[in-house]
Amino acid sequence: MAATNLMKPLASLSRFGSLQTRSVSLKAANIPIAKYGGRHTVTMMPGDGIGPEMMGYVKEVFRYAGAPIDFETVLLDPTTDNYDDLYNAISSVKRNGVGIKGNIETKMNRPDIKSRNVEMRNELDLFVNTIHCKSQPGVKTRHDDIDIVIMRQNTEGEYAMLEHESVQGVVESLKITTEPSTERLCRHAFDYARANGRKKVTLIHKANIMKITDGLFLEVAKRVSKDYPEIQHDNMIIDNCCMQLVSNPWQFDVMILTNLYGTIVTNLICGLIGGPGVIAGANIGPRYAVFEPGTRNTGTTLIGKNKANPCAMLNASADMLSHLNLRYHAKLIHDAVWQTINVDMIQTEDLGGQATSMDVVQNVISHIKAAAK
Ligand code: ADP
Ligand code: MG
């Protein structure tokens, strides 16, 4: 592997340094929202795989729900190292304030092409990925009644994208943890716990091995927790956390995780409660927000088969409406999806059912029509 093919390492470190000057407070009032004549414009990035199909369902459901949203659709092309498409998408979200997105494939064997997903989160400063993983009573799984909120670091840590070959045969990857970004992540988690009546915040780490990086993560959380005396705070090593999650998941309430541990644990927990097709996730920063399915799959093998579960993307779209303060429309869609899965038991194959994607969408629409009468 030639070193020249790999990304230049140290020049890009400046983006982490610049965090020092940023405020750690999150004020919703800063969020720019494009709204003309009572309608919002939202950036829609369909992504790869089943993304475009799922976005088609979102548009259909919004039409029946009467959601006052206009979409600005931006296509992304993950196969090139010309990033004009990405910068168009980023400018669009900056203009509109809010986006909804499917996952974009990142080519594994092309170190010269940056991940557009990661680059977008960094450029928009979407420092936390938050996912509320709650068991669906109609979905048969090994464990019932799981209710865990994940707060995943979304812009640094193991995803710094700073890899290089120092000498031939020796490659290095930088894991970057900054105090300001860790502090705002922890404050976000504790503020969420306080606002939502949650009792405990658990920080997940590997500070016995990564003593300095995860050590800082651990220390900052301990310090921040002192400002929230009514909320219990503890920590757990990532490997034990995975074992505890499969044997006794009910002990967890709100979890704070680094970027890499966060994606692994997100997939683990979503797997426990029904897989990739149900749960939505939100990427949040001080100015912008981008909504997407929680496990960020492309589901390439399901393209065009009318089999993919549309609920994760529909739930993401409802969360987006909630973020825009369109609570009536958000509830209409959340309730219709919940009824479809848990009461009518109209479920796609991933949940053990036999329904097609369109059966699910039709059923969701029938609930919306009935409720909106
Ligand atoms: P692939 O891109 O190879 O399909 P992914 O990593 O995107 O794989 O997804 C992991 C697994 O989850 C695959 O088996 C995929 O079929 C499944 N999957 C992803 N999204 C959905 C969905 N919306 N509904 C049902 N199954 C899904
Ligand atoms: Mg995939």
Side-chain angles (χ1 to χ4, degrees), residues 105 298-300:
E105 287 284 1
T298 46
T300 4

Side-chain angles (χ1 to χ4, degrees), residues 84-154:
D84 288 350
D85 60 328
L86 176 65
Y87 290 106
N88 275 340
I90 290 169
S91 322
S92 171
V93 178
K94 286 187 174 169
R95 229 174 11 251
N96 298 324
V98 181
I100 182 163
K101 136 178 207 303
N103 201 37
I104 301 145
E105 287 284 1
T106 304
K107 297 277 165 260
M108 219 168 336
N109 52 356
R110 290 284 306 270
D112 56 317
I113 301 183
K114 295 191 247 189
S115 161
R116 281 162 167 76
N117 301 305
V118 175
E119 199 67 13
M120 182 176 306
R121 288 174 221 144
N122 292 344
E123 280 293 317
L124 296 171
D125 196 21
L126 303 171
F127 71 92
V128 54
N129 181 230
T130 154
I131 305 181
H132 186 180
C133 300
K134 196 164 164 33
S135 292
Q136 306 284 309
V139 179
K140 200 173 155 355
T141 47
R142 283 192 184 86
H143 305 304
D144 295 327
D145 299 323
I146 293 175
D147 185 349
I148 301 173
V149 175
I150 298 172
M151 297 287 178
R152 164 185 172 191
Q153 211 299 323
N154 212 25

Side-chain angles (χ1 to χ4, degrees), residues 51-73:
E53 291 166 40
M54 300 298 116
M55 292 304 185
Y57 300 140
V58 168
K59 284 185 185 160
E60 193 70 359
V61 166
F62 274 27
R63 197 160 67 80
Y64 282 96
I69 301 289
D70 297 311
F71 290 110
E72 181 181 350
T73 302

Side-chain angles (χ1 to χ4, degrees), residues 50 105 276-277 297-302 307-309 350:
I50 53 172
E105 287 284 1
N297 297 108
T298 46
T300 4
T301 48
L302 297 171
K307 280 186 173 177
N309 190 342
D350 53 308

Side-chain angles (χ1 to χ4, degrees), residues 108-366:
M108 219 168 336
N109 52 356
R110 290 284 306 270
D112 56 317
I113 301 183
K114 295 191 247 189
S115 161
R116 281 162 167 76
N117 301 305
V118 175
E119 199 67 13
M120 182 176 306
R121 288 174 221 144
N122 292 344
E123 280 293 317
L124 296 171
D125 196 21
L126 303 171
F127 71 92
V128 54
N129 181 230
T130 154
I131 305 181
H132 186 180
C133 300
K134 196 164 164 33
S135 292
Q136 306 284 309
V139 179
K140 200 173 155 355
T141 47
R142 283 192 184 86
H143 305 304
D144 295 327
D145 299 323
I146 293 175
D147 185 349
I148 301 173
V149 175
I150 298 172
M151 297 287 178
R152 164 185 172 191
Q153 211 299 323
N154 212 25
T155 47
E156 52 180 44
E158 305 85 354
Y159 281 45
M161 297 200 299
L162 296 171
E163 289 187 299
H164 57 273
E165 187 173 41
S166 45
V167 291
Q168 200 169 12
V170 180
V171 288
E172 298 172 2
S173 175
L174 298 180
K175 167 166 171 167
I176 311 252
T177 302
T178 65
E179 197 167 344
S181 206
T182 307
E183 175 163 348
R184 62 181 175 168
L185 172 71
C186 294
R187 290 209 178 276
H188 185 81
F190 278 97
D191 284 343
Y192 176 94
R194 182 174 271 171
N196 292 278
R198 294 277 176 161
K199 305 220 159 8
K200 186 168 75 169
V201 173
T202 305
L203 179 115
I204 308 301
H205 65 95
K206 189 72 185 170
N208 52 336
I209 301 296
M210 277 163 271
K211 295 174 200 285
I212 299 182
T213 43
D214 281 13
L216 178 65
F217 207 63
L218 190 60
E219 281 316 306
V220 170
K222 280 186 188 161
R223 173 159 52 77
V224 168
S225 74
K226 302 224 170 6
D227 294 338
Y228 302 81
E230 78 281 19
I231 295 164
Q232 200 190 327
H233 175 53
D234 61 3
N235 62 70
M236 194 179 283
I237 291 181
I238 178 66
D239 29 17
N240 182 29
C241 163
C242 291
M243 183 166 59
Q244 297 294 327
L245 273 169
V246 292
S247 53
N248 176 15
W250 304 280
Q251 68 187 288
F252 295 101
D253 189 342
V254 176
M255 300 171 90
I256 303 176
L257 300 112
T258 70
N259 212 333
L260 181 64
Y261 312 153
T263 186
I264 296 169
V265 165
T266 295
N267 276 261
L268 197 165
I269 302 177
C270 286
L272 287 178
I273 63 173
V278 185
I279 304 297
N283 303 286
I284 306 282
R287 291 180 67 77
Y288 313 111
V290 173
F291 296 81
E292 63 186 343
T295 54
R296 299 169 169 167
N297 297 108
T298 46
T300 4
T301 48
L302 297 171
I303 298 175
K305 293 198 173 137
N306 198 15
K307 280 186 173 177
N309 190 342
C311 294
M313 190 65 91
L314 292 176
N315 280 330
S317 74
D319 289 350
M320 182 195 85
L321 294 173
S322 213
H323 175 82
L324 291 169
N325 236 341
L326 294 165
R327 297 194 188 282
Y328 166 78
H329 300 92
K331 186 169 179 340
L332 207 55
I333 296 172
H334 269 142
D335 287 356
V337 171
W338 197 88
Q339 291 276 335
T340 299
I341 300 175
N342 299 301
V343 180
D344 308 331
M345 306 293 285
I346 308 284
Q347 300 178 348
T348 41
E349 282 175 18
D350 53 308
L351 299 184
Q354 290 172 342
T356 63
S357 319
M358 283 182 203
D359 293 337
V360 173
V361 173
Q362 279 310 324
N363 202 73
V364 167
I365 289 173
S366 67

